[in-house]
Amino acid sequence: MNRRSLPAFLSVAALVAGVLGLTAAPPGTAAADTESLAVSRLHADASGGLTYRSSGGVYDFAGVPARVTLDDPAVSSSTSVGDAAAAHLARYGAAFGSKQAGTTLTELRSNATVTGDVVRYQQNVGGLPVMGGEFVVSLRPNRELDSILAKTSRATTVSSAKVSQADATATAQEFFQGSAGEGAPATIVSVGRWVVDPTLIGASKVLPTRTVWRFELSRGAAERRMVLVDDQLGAVLMNVDLINEAKNRVVCDNANVPHSTAVADAPCVNSSPNLVRTELSVPAALAEANTAFDLGGVVHDNYAAFQTGFDLTNFIGRVVDGGSTKALAQTVRWCYTGFTCPYANAFWNGSQMYYGATYATADDVVGHEMTHGVTERTSGLFYWSQSGAMNESLSDIMGEIIDHRNVQPPGEPVTWTMGEDLPIGAIRNVQNPPAFNDPDRTGSPLYVKEACCGYPDEDGVHTNSGVGNKTFYLASQGGTFNSQTITGIDTGDATLTKSAKLWLLTDQSLSSGSDYADEAAVLDQSCQALIGSGVMNAADCTAVHQATLATELTTTPVNNPQPTDATVSCPTGTPQVLFDSETGTPGTKFNAGPGWSRSGVPGWGQIAHSNPDAWSSYEATPSSTNSLTAAAPVALPAGQSAYLFFQHWRLLQGNGTTVFNDAGTVEINGADAAALPWVNGPAQTIGGTGNPANGKLGFGGDSRGYVASRVDLSSFAGTSVTPQFSFNNNNSGQTFLGWWVDDIQVYTCAVPPPPTPKVVAGAPTISGKALVGKKLTAHPGSWTPGDATLTYQWLRNGVPIAGATGSTYKLKNKDKGKKISVTVTGTKAGFTSASATSPPTKKVKKKKPHHREAVRAARLG
C-alpha cells in the first residue's frame, strides 16, 4: 500500500518528554467502596450468573447471558433509551470506574441495533475528554441492561496547559506541511484539549498519560490527518492518517484528471459538473460509474438485511443538495496531483468514497470502504495499533460477507480473498492470512510491531487485521485450528447471515480504544444478545467463543509484549503501608546524594509516575555510585510479610544485550538486595570501564517507560530497614535520560487475629405437666464445649418471669392459659456466648379437684 504519512507516534525523545499532569486514583479510597457496592448490586439484580471481566478491581466488561435477566428497579419497558442507559450507569457504573475522582460522563450518541439499543458515553477527566475513554451501554428491547463495556483511564486530574492553542495550531500546521509535502496550507480545525492515555489507544502501557491539543487537518479530498500536540512541551505527539486507505478499497470519480491537493474537497454532489449517475438518471456512458452505482446499492441493501431499519444512506451518506438530502457519494477514476494516474487505490475520507480507475468494480472493496464509514459512526475504532487492526478487519469481514452474498455472475466460485477483482489481484486472505504474510493469531511470528520512528502502517493496522479476519472465518465456517475444533455458525448458509448480524452488532458495541481482548468479550456478549432475538443458539455462541480462543484474542501479542507490573498485594493478610514517598513533603523523605534530585532533567522536565515530580538520577561524576537513601529507618512488625514497592523508568547507557555500562541497584541497610525475592527485579549485568558496581545485577538499559517492581523484605521482619537506590556509572560520562524512581512504598501484610471461638448451643426441651402447681424441668441438650456454664430463664408467653432462673419451675395460678418456655445461655471464658430457647409448652391449665374433694365441696355447698 502507498502511504503518505511520516511517523505517527514520534521518537522516544518525544514520548518521554511529556509532563505528567495526571494521577491515578489511590487504592483504598471511598471510591473503592462505591465500586464494591455497585458490583454487589449488579450481581444481586441478576437472575443468574453474569459474564464479566475486571482489571485492578474495576470491571471493564459485564454482559447478561441470553437466559439471564437483570432487573434494575429504576427501569421499565416504558423508560426512554437515554433515561434507561443513564439509570443503569447510576446504579452499576461505579463498578466500571464511572465514580472515580475526576471522571464525568457525557452522552455521545445512541444507535438502534437488531437486539435493542446502544448508548455511548465519553469519559472526561478534569473536564477534558479522554481519547478512547468510553462507556458503551447496550440495552435489551425492554430497556433492561444487556452489557456494559468500559474503556477508561484511571487518571484523576489534569494540569493547566503550558502551550497555548495558538502556538499548538502553528505547530500542527507546520508539521502537516512537513509530513504531507509542500502545497497550500491545510484547513485546520481544533477539537480542543484531550487526555491521551496510552493504554486506551494501543500504545505501550508503560508510557505516561498526557494532555494534548487535538487538531484535524485536511487538504484536498484525500488528505485528512489528526495531529496531537503535547500541551506541556509543544511537541507533536501523534500524527495519524484519517483516510482509511488500502489497495482493496474503492472510492471517487474525476476522469483520471489530476486533482490539485490545494482544493479543500472534491465532493460528489448534485451540482458537481462531473455528476454522471443518480437514482433518477439513465445509466452513465461510463461502465465503471454504473458498477459503482450498482455496488453502492448492493452494500446499502445488505446492511438493511443485516439489521432491520438500518439506512446506510442516512448513516454514512453526505448532503448532496445544499439542504438535508443525503446520498452514498462515490467518485470513480479519482486521481490527484503528486500521484501517478491512474490512481491505484481507494479510500473513505469521512464523507464519501473515492476510487482510482477500475477500483469500483470489486464488491468486497466497496463494502470494505463503506464499512469504514459505519465504523467511524459507531465504535469509532481508533486507527492505530490493535484498535486500528480491528477497524481494518471489520471492513474486510463485512466486505467479504457482501462479496459472498453478491456472487456475480451466479455460480461463480467463491473465494475468501480480499480484493481479488482488483487490477492488482487479491491483497489479503481471511481464511488463511499467512498467505499474505498476515498473522492468524496474536501469538503468530507474523504479528507486526513497527519499529520506533517509522510506523508506516499506523503500527500494523493492515497486517495485524489478519487476527480478526481469521477469527471471523473460523466462527463462520469452522475447522480445526490451534487445538480448537469448531462447527461454523454459517454452515449450510451461503449468505453468512449469522456472521453479518454478529459482526455488525460487535462493531456497534465496541469502544474507540478497544483491543482484541475487548473484541473477544464483545463477540461473546453480542452472540448471547442474538440468542435473545432468535438469531443464534447456544451452540453458535460456543463456536464463536472457540474461535476467539483459537486466535488467542485475549493473549498479549508475542511480538508486542507488555510488561506485567508488580502489585501492592499480599500472599495472606491485607497490605498496610508503613512508608509512602509521596505523602506529606516528598522531598524530605530521602537524603539525596550527588546526581539525585526532584527538579527534573534539563531540557526534558519531569517524568513522574504520579504528580507532580519524581526522584531522578544522572551521572554526577564518572566512575561513581550515588545513592538516594531513606531519611529514617522503617520498622517492620515481627511475624508479618513485608515488601518494598516502587515505580521506575530508566534509559541508560548499555553495551549490547549482556553488559550494561550504567545501571541502578537497590540496597537494604546498605547491603545489595539483588539476591532477595523480586517481581521485576534487577536482571542486567553491570559492566563498563570504571563502574564501581561491575559484576552486580542491576536495572540497566531501556525499560521503555515506567515499570513497577517489588522486593520481599520478610526476612527483615521484627527489625528496621533503610531502603536505598543507587545509580552506578562508568567513566564514559554518558547517561542518556537517567533513572527515575517514584511512588516508593514499604508495606507489611497485616494478618487479622483468629476469630474468637463460639459456644455451640444445644436444643433445650421441657418435661412435666402444664398444670398449675406442677413442676417443669429444663433439659438443656448437648452444648459445646461440654464445660460451658449454663444459666436458665423461664418465660411466660415469651416474656421473662422474674426470679425464675433455675433449672426447674413450679407453675402458678398466674400461668393459667399461658405457654411456658425456657431460654438456656451457655458461657465460657474466651468464647462467644450462645443462647437457645425451648419449644413452648401447651397452655397451662388449673389442676382438677379429686372426686372425694368434689363431693365434699358439694355437701358443704
Side-chain angles (χ1 to χ4, degrees), residues 382-403:
F382 191 63
Y383 206 64
W384 181 266
S385 193
Q386 283 195 47
S387 60
M390 290 159 58
N391 189 319
E392 278 298 316
S393 174
L394 283 165
S395 282
D396 277 358
I397 290 166
M398 299 307 283
E400 195 61 28
I401 290 172
I402 288 167
D403 188 18

Side-chain angles (χ1 to χ4, degrees), residues 15-16 18-20 22 198-199 204-209 562-566 582 598 605-617 645-651 680 702-709 737-744:
L15 287 173
V16 299
V19 177
L20 282 174
L22 305 99
T199 64
S204 172
K205 294 182 179 180
V206 298
L207 296 176
T209 301
Q562 306 225 349
T564 300
D565 282 338
E582 304 310 300
R598 292 183 72 90
Q606 285 290 339
I607 310 177
H609 184 263
S610 60
N611 270 347
D613 46 28
W615 289 104
S616 63
S617 62
F645 170 92
F646 57 97
Q647 297 275 358
H648 57 127
W649 183 329
R650 63 190 184 274
L651 180 57
N680 294 336
D702 184 0
S703 67
R704 301 193 179 277
Y706 270 100
V707 175
S709 293
L737 189 60
W739 190 26
W740 293 74
V741 184
D742 202 3
D743 297 338
I744 306 162

Side-chain angles (χ1 to χ4, degrees), residues 302-303 305-307 397-398 401-402 405 472 476 489-490 495-506 530 536:
N302 272 286
Y303 264 96
F306 301 159
Q307 179 180 317
I397 290 166
M398 299 307 283
I401 290 172
I402 288 167
R405 293 169 66 95
F472 150 70
S476 172
I489 64 176
D490 295 317
T495 67
L496 311 184
T497 297
K498 289 183 176 181
S499 285
K501 292 179 180 292
L502 173 66
W503 289 94
L504 175 56
L505 182 57
T506 297
L530 289 169
M536 299 288 192

